[in-house]
Amino acid sequence: MDDTPISDAELDALARLAGLTIPAHCREGVRLHLANARRMLEALEPLAGDGETLSLAPVFDPAPGSGGPGAA
């Protein structure tokens, strides 16, 4: 996990990219939220492996052949 603090230069660049102005009294809070978002994204990164090992789990169908919800 990357816990490298977000520098002032990075924070300023991200603010410009988003078209935002971050007041001085809000900078540490924004920095904290960006670090949390980075940790959440790292948790969502795809796992390394081949397609056979990481295939999707089967989907449970409670009534096979019924056509699913809303079927006539």
Side-chain angles (χ1 to χ4, degrees):
M1 178 168 29
D2 183 10
D3 283 333
T4 306
I6 297 170
S7 69
D8 286 333
E10 289 172 312
L11 192 58
D12 291 337
L14 289 169
R16 275 193 306 276
L17 184 64
L20 300 173
T21 301
I22 303 173
H25 67 278
C26 296
R27 291 179 74 81
E28 288 309 309
V30 171
R31 196 181 317 270
L32 174 68
H33 287 291
L34 287 173
N36 285 337
R38 182 182 348 179
R39 284 192 290 275
M40 286 187 272
L41 286 172
E42 287 172 352
L44 295 174
E45 284 184 21
L47 300 172
D50 61 14
E52 294 297 317
T53 306
L54 299 175
S55 61
L56 296 176
V59 176
F60 174 71
D61 184 359
S66 68

